[in-house]
Amino acid sequence: MVNAVSFKRKAHTNGEGGSNHLHERNKRSFSFNVADLRSVTVKCEGWSYLIFCLRDDTTLPAIHFHQGGSQAFLDSLRKSVQLSESPDDENLLLVGTYSKAFSQSFENLLDDTNYGLVQKFKKDPYTTTFGGFSKVTNYFFDAFRPSESECQQRPAEEMADILGELIPGLEINQQEEPGFEVITRIDLGTRPEVQRREPVLLENWAKHQDSEGRLSNVPHLKHLIFKGGLCHAVRKEAWKFLLGYYPWDSTHEDRKTLQKRKTDEYFRMKLQWKSVSEEQENDLLSPILYVMENEVDAFWCFVSFMDQMHENFEEQMQGMKTQLIQLSTLLRLLDLAFWNYLEAQDSGYLYFCFRWLLIRFKRELHFQDVLRLWEVMWTGLPCQNFHLLVCCAILDSEKQKIMDRHYGFNEILKHINELSMKLDIEEILIKSEAIYMQIKNCKDLPHSVSEILGLNTVTDSSTLETSEYGVLESPQSSPRPAHRQDQAFSNGHGLLQETSRNRCKVAFIS
Amino acid sequence: MAKQYDVLFRLLLLGDSGVGKTCLLCRFTDNEFHPSHISTIGVDFKMKTLEIDGIKVRIQIWDTAGQERYQTITKQYYRRAQGIFLVYDITSERSFQHIMKWASDVDEYAPDKVQKILVGNKSDEEQKRQVATAQGNKLAKAYGMDFFETSAFTNHNITESFTRLAELVLQANKKDLDVLRVSINDKLNLAALEEEEGVCDSSSDAQKTCWC
C-alpha cells in the first residue's frame, strides 16, 4: 500500500487497506488513503486542529496541533493533493480530484530530518525533543507508541475526555502558532552545587540593628535569611519586617508609635469588619498567628501577605492561571522531555500543582517547614516568583519516577497529592536555588523566562553579590520618605501598591 | 492469581463546602473519620472495590472542592463521571437549597446517562437539624433520585449509599455488563497480567472496561 497516509509505523501501513480507518485498540492511530480524502476542516480553538472527512463520509478523529504546525502539515499535504477553500465555508478545504503525488507515501512527505525525529521519538519518547513537524504531541505520542506497550496505555476514551478539560481560559498550549519552527533545547549547563546555611540567630539579628533599632545592611541580612531561614526566636520580630508591617529603617520608637496606631486601627476596623476570609486564607493565616502570638500583629502581617497572595483567591482564578502558565514555561525550559511527557499525559496544564501554588505549599510541608519556606520566600531572594522554582525543584525530584512508571493523568495527580508531608524542605531549597543559578547563568535565556523571574533587569552578572541584591531589593525595603510610609500604613494595603506586579486591591476588607 | 476487579468507573462527590464530602469518602474507603474540617483544594480521588452481583466493581471516587470559586476547575471533572453524589448537610438549610444549583450544573456538564443520588449528611447531629428527612425525600423524588441520610461520623448508611450508586451505574450500563459477562475470561487474564507487572491503579486499569 504505497498511497497511504499513515500516522502509524511504516510496518503497519504496509498491507493495511485504506478502509482500516480506526485501529481496533487505539482509536487515535489511524491511516487512510489520500485518494479517499474528501475534505479537511481546519478549526481553531486556541490551537488548530484538523478534521479529515473521507469520500465515504467517514469523519476521522481530529488531529490537534497544540503547539502549532498545522499549516506546515497542510503544506505537506498539498504536495499530494490539491486543497481549495470551500466557497461556503472558509474553514473547509476541499480535496481536488487531481493529485500530483499520489504515489508518495506519507512518510516521504516529511523531509528526512523530521522523519528521523519521529523515528527517534518512537524509540524514546521521553528524551527526544519532539519538535519539528510533530508538535501534535498528545496524539503522536499515542499513535507512535509501540503496540507491545498498549496494555499500559491510557484508554482512548480517557484521552478523549481529558482533552477538552483544559481549564477555560487557561491556555498553556496557546502559544502563538510558530509555523514549522523547531523547538530547540536550550543548554542550561550543569546545575551548580548549593549549600544552605544555619538559621539566623537572635544575636545575628541584634547585630544588624543600630542603637535606635534601625536595621542595617538589610540586603545582607535578607541574604542570610534566604540562605538559612530564621531560628524560631527571631521570627516574631523578623517576620514583621519581611512582610512589610515594619519598615526596615524604622527605629524602636517609630515601631512603638506604629504599633499603637495600628492597634487602634485594627480595633476600629474590627467593629465593621465583615469576615469574608475563606478557609484557604486561613491556611495562610495560621502560621502567622502561631508566630505572632498576638491578634493585632498577626492581622497586619497577614494583610501584607495577602497583598502578595490575593490574586490566587480571586473569583476568576486569574492569578492561579497565570502562575500555572508561568510554571509551564519554566518546566519547558528546564526539561523539555518531561514537559512533553506531561503534555502527552494531558497533564500539561499542571493542575496537579494547584494546591501548591494556591496556599504556597502550606499543606505539602510540616508546619515548621512551612515557616522556613515562607520566610525564605519573603526575602524576595534570589529572584521574583521563586516559589515557581520551588515547584520546579519538587517536580525535578519526581519526574524520573513519573516517567519510568508511565504514570498517566490519574496517577500523576495522585502521586503529587501524596507527596504531602513527605517533602524535605532543605533539600527542596537547595535544589530551587541551584535551578535558579542554572537558569541565571544561561546565556540564551528565552525572554519569557527572564520576564517571569525578573532577571531582565540584571545587566551585569559579573558581580554576583551585588546583582543578586539588586534584583532582590523589594519595594518596601527601599528607603522612602517618611510621609509615604505613613500613607501606606494608613490604609493597611498600601505597602506593595507601588510594585508593578502586585497591583493591589482591597483584598478582603469591605 | 485472582483478578482484582471486572469493571472500573468513576463517581463524583458534589455539594457545598463543609457538607462532609471528604469525610464520607474517608469513611467509605478507609473507615476513618477526622472531625476537623480541612477544606479540599483542587481534586483528589480514592479507590475501592465492591462486589455487586458477583461482579468486582472498582470505583474511583473523585472528591472536589465545594467552594464556588473553584468550580470552573471542578466542573472539568463532571464529564468523567458515571455516578454523582449530591451531598448536603442536614444541619444547613443553605447547603440543601444549593442542591438545585448543583443538580443543574450536573445536567449541564455531566454525561446524560449519569446516575445521581441525593445524600443528606451529618444525620448524627439531630439536635442541629435544619432540613427534615421528608424535605430530602421530596426533593429526591422530584429529581427521580434515591435518597440517603448518612453520617460519616457514626458510619450510618455509608456503605449503603456508595453501593447503591454503584448498582445504579451498573444497571444503567446493563448492555455493556452483558458483554462483560461473555468476555469475563479475557478480563481475568489481563487482570492477572497487570498484577504481575505491579501496574498500579487508575488509568491503566480503566481501559479494561470503562463506561463513559
Side-chain angles (χ1 to χ4, degrees):
Chain A
M1 186 79 201
V2 198
N3 297 339
V5 168
S6 169
F7 293 87
K8 291 194 298 185
R9 295 188 294 181
K10 202 167 189 170
H12 282 232
T13 316
N14 293 335
E16 271 183 18
S19 58
N20 187 14
H21 306 315
L22 294 175
H23 191 283
E24 246 183 78
R25 299 185 62 180
N26 188 343
K27 290 180 197 153
R28 297 287 148 194
S29 9
F30 57 80
S31 64
F32 60 87
N33 190 320
V34 285
D36 294 335
L37 189 62
R38 175 189 288 162
S39 67
V40 184
T41 309
V42 183
K43 289 204 169 163
C44 187
E45 273 178 24
W47 61 87
S48 299
Y49 61 97
L50 305 178
I51 301 164
F52 298 94
C53 184
L54 305 185
R55 295 197 187 277
D56 63 1
D57 280 323
T58 313
T59 303
L60 296 166
I63 310 253
H64 294 252
F65 290 76
H66 283 253
Q67 297 155 63
S70 63
Q71 215 40 56
F73 177 86
L74 288 173
D75 290 346
S76 293
L77 192 60
R78 279 194 180 93
K79 290 179 192 159
S80 299
V81 291
Q82 196 180 33
L83 297 175
S84 53
E85 217 173 82
S86 156
D88 307 315
D89 181 357
E90 57 173 10
N91 295 322
L92 189 65
L93 297 173
L94 300 172
V95 178
T97 43
Y98 159 75
S99 166
K100 60 181 172 178
F102 263 171
S103 60
Q104 262 185 315
S105 81
F106 175 73
E107 279 138 354
N108 294 337
L109 297 177
L110 300 170
D111 61 38
D112 287 342
T113 331
N114 281 320
Y115 184 56
L117 220 134
V118 170
Q119 290 290 39
K120 202 171 152 206
F121 182 78
K122 285 192 283 190
K123 269 193 251 152
D124 186 358
Y126 307 126
T127 52
T128 305
T129 305
F130 202 25
F133 164 77
S134 35
K135 287 177 185 172
V136 271
T137 42
N138 293 337
Y139 293 91
F140 271 74
F141 186 82
D142 194 28
F144 281 129
R145 259 179 127 157
S147 50
E148 305 87 82
S149 68
E150 265 185 20
C151 58
Q152 293 173 350
Q153 248 172 274
R154 299 159 56 69
E157 61 76 19
E158 194 162 19
M159 291 286 289
D161 69 347
I162 292 161
L163 279 162
E165 288 184 2
L166 298 168
I167 302 170
L170 172 55
E171 285 136 351
I172 285 167
N173 287 320
Q174 197 182 4
Q175 276 123 2
E176 235 175 272
E177 194 166 322
F180 221 66
E181 183 197 47
V182 175
I183 304 165
T184 48
R185 197 193 290 264
I186 292 161
D187 185 16
L188 277 176
T190 50
R191 196 172 287 170
E193 286 259 326
V194 164
Q195 239 123 67
R196 298 273 303 156
R197 292 192 200 165
E198 288 302 305
V200 173
L201 300 170
L202 212 45
E203 52 262 41
N204 304 130
W205 179 262
K207 255 188 254 165
H208 278 82
Q209 284 189 40
D210 66 17
S211 55
E212 292 188 295
R214 286 185 201 86
L215 284 151
S216 57
N217 202 355
V218 174
H220 182 244
L221 188 57
K222 281 190 182 175
H223 184 70
L224 293 178
I225 300 169
F226 173 70
K227 292 299 289 185
L230 296 158
C231 72
H232 194 70
V234 190
R235 280 189 177 128
K236 196 191 282 197
E237 179 159 339
W239 279 25
K240 293 171 190 160
F241 291 89
L242 283 172
L243 282 166
Y245 176 34
Y246 289 168
W248 293 93
D249 57 356
S250 59
T251 62
H252 287 307
E253 210 51 44
D254 293 339
R255 296 200 284 269
K256 236 182 251 169
T257 321
L258 174 76
Q259 204 170 19
K260 213 169 157 198
R261 197 178 67 239
K262 300 305 275 184
T263 306
D264 292 347
E265 201 178 324
Y266 173 73
F267 286 107
R268 227 179 24 250
M269 266 176 21
K270 203 182 168 185
L271 294 172
Q272 48 183 306
W273 189 42
K274 194 171 110 266
S275 170
V276 289
S277 149
E278 299 242 11
E279 290 143 41
Q280 272 83 59
E281 280 117 12
N282 291 341
D283 270 304
L284 299 184
L285 176 61
S286 59
I288 294 177
L289 203 53
Y290 169 80
V291 166
M292 292 301 148
E293 300 176 300
N294 167 312
E295 190 183 340
V296 178
D297 291 341
F299 173 79
W300 289 111
C301 285
F302 180 63
V303 166
S304 298
F305 190 25
M306 282 306 288
D307 273 339
Q308 302 171 31
M309 299 293 293
H310 70 88
E311 286 181 349
N312 281 10
F313 301 103
E314 280 171 4
E315 202 62 43
Q316 294 308 310
M317 299 266 104
Q318 196 49 54
M320 289 301 299
K321 290 171 191 169
T322 306
Q323 288 181 70
L324 288 170
I325 291 165
Q326 289 174 330
L327 180 55
S328 173
T329 307
L330 294 172
L331 271 186
R332 187 171 156 159
L333 168 80
L334 289 169
D335 192 335
L336 189 56
F338 180 52
W339 186 85
N340 277 330
Y341 180 84
L342 293 175
E343 282 275 304
Q345 301 304 321
D346 307 305
S347 301
Y349 57 92
L350 308 174
Y351 182 58
F352 50 84
C353 296
F354 187 84
R355 190 173 68 193
W356 296 2
L357 295 169
L358 187 78
I359 49 169
R360 292 283 155 99
F361 308 97
K362 169 62 172 49
R363 300 217 187 150
E364 318 312 315
L365 301 167
H366 292 288
F367 195 76
Q368 290 300 325
D369 293 347
V370 172
L371 308 183
R372 174 56 37 80
L373 174 68
W374 285 8
E375 63 206 10
V376 166
M377 289 193 306
W378 292 336
T379 62
L381 292 170
C383 59
Q384 74 185 25
N385 286 319
F386 184 61
H387 67 285
L388 297 177
L389 296 181
V390 174
C391 296
C392 292
I394 301 173
L395 292 173
D396 188 84
S397 303
E398 301 304 321
K399 66 183 181 190
Q400 213 49 52
K401 193 179 281 177
I402 289 171
M403 294 192 293
D404 288 350
R405 298 183 184 177
H406 303 287
Y407 282 168
F409 178 86
N410 292 335
E411 290 117 324
I412 295 172
L413 178 79
K414 197 79 189 153
H415 182 73
I416 297 295
N417 279 351
E418 285 175 356
L419 290 176
S420 174
M421 300 298 149
K422 290 179 198 153
L423 297 164
D424 178 334
I425 186 61
E426 291 301 314
E427 203 177 285
I428 290 168
L429 286 171
I430 288 171
K431 197 173 251 187
S432 312
E433 190 185 347
I435 291 174
Y436 160 74
M437 289 167 77
Q438 193 185 13
I439 291 178
K440 188 167 156 278
N441 293 336
C442 172
K443 288 190 177 61
D444 323 298
L445 212 54
H447 179 69
S448 55
V449 172
S450 26
E451 191 85 340
I452 292 166
L453 301 179
L455 299 176
N456 44 350
T457 52
V458 183
T459 46
D460 182 11
S461 59
S462 58
T463 48
L464 185 117
E465 291 280 302
T466 351
S467 67
E468 224 174 47
Y469 296 145
V471 186
L472 304 172
E473 196 73 30
S474 63
Q476 69 264 37
S477 67
S478 50
R480 287 214 192 105
H483 71 275
R484 288 185 67 186
Q485 286 286 6
D486 281 352
Q487 233 173 31
F489 280 113
S490 69
N491 65 10
H493 296 281
L495 285 174
L496 293 167
Q497 237 154 13
E498 282 149 310
T499 65
S500 55
R501 64 194 172 90
N502 285 312
R503 286 170 320 268
C504 189
K505 290 182 197 161
V506 177
F508 57 95
I509 297 171
S510 50
Chain B
M1 207 179 299
K3 63 186 166 163
Q4 286 180 303
Y5 62 90
D6 304 314
V7 295
L8 179 137
F9 52 70
R10 299 192 193 92
L11 307 181
L12 184 68
L13 286 153
L14 294 180
D16 279 9
S17 178
V19 299
K21 297 180 292 297
T22 307
C23 286
L24 287 170
L25 182 55
C26 286
R27 175 60 86 184
F28 177 63
T29 57
D30 307 325
N31 200 19
E32 281 174 10
F33 181 77
H34 310 283
S36 61
H37 177 225
I38 302 161
S39 63
T40 304
I41 294 177
V43 294
D44 200 359
F45 66 86
K46 285 177 183 277
M47 310 279 291
K48 179 146 175 153
T49 308
L50 295 175
E51 193 164 321
I52 301 170
D53 295 340
I55 295 169
K56 285 182 180 160
V57 181
R58 184 95 166 134
I59 51 180
Q60 195 180 73
I61 309 146
W62 288 74
D63 186 18
T64 62
Q67 281 144 318
E68 179 80 32
R69 58 184 159 184
Y70 303 123
Q71 282 168 28
T72 48
I73 287 151
T74 50
K75 270 174 196 159
Q76 307 306 309
Y77 291 84
Y78 288 22
R79 210 141 35 84
R80 302 160 56 86
Q82 287 100 45
I84 290 179
F85 296 94
L86 295 171
V87 188
Y88 68 92
D89 168 1
I90 65 146
T91 71
S92 159
E93 171 82 42
R94 196 181 148 82
S95 74
F96 181 67
Q97 284 162 357
H98 282 171
I99 290 293
M100 292 210 286
K101 188 199 73 76
W102 288 108
S104 75
D105 283 353
V106 168
D107 285 345
E108 191 171 344
Y109 298 100
D112 293 340
K113 214 161 92 169
V114 76
Q115 300 297 304
K116 293 163 283 188
I117 63 168
L118 183 65
V119 172
N121 192 34
K122 307 194 189 177
S123 67
D124 56 289
E125 298 204 55
E126 197 54 56
Q127 70 290 352
K128 289 203 223 155
R129 182 189 281 276
Q130 290 183 1
V131 185
T133 310
Q135 283 175 277
N137 260 318
K138 197 175 156 198
L139 185 70
K141 210 170 172 186
Y143 281 115
M145 293 188 270
D146 281 15
F147 172 59
F148 289 88
E149 280 197 350
T150 61
S151 166
F153 179 53
T154 64
N155 203 0
H156 174 61
N157 265 344
I158 302 297
T159 313
E160 289 81 352
S161 51
F162 279 85
T163 308
R164 181 60 189 147
L165 186 56
E167 283 169 359
L168 288 169
V169 173
L170 271 175
Q171 278 167 22
N173 295 275
K174 193 77 174 72
K175 218 168 75 185
D176 305 83
L177 183 68
D178 294 336
V179 176
L180 173 72
R181 286 190 196 283
V182 174
S183 62
I184 205 138
N185 287 330
D186 298 339
K187 304 286 169 190
L188 193 145
N189 292 338
L190 189 57
L193 190 72
E194 276 183 20
E195 258 181 330
E196 250 160 18
E197 289 174 355
V199 173
C200 80
D201 284 337
S202 48
S203 73
S204 56
D205 291 348
Q207 67 180 354
K208 291 203 288 180
T209 307
C210 192
W211 302 320
C212 300

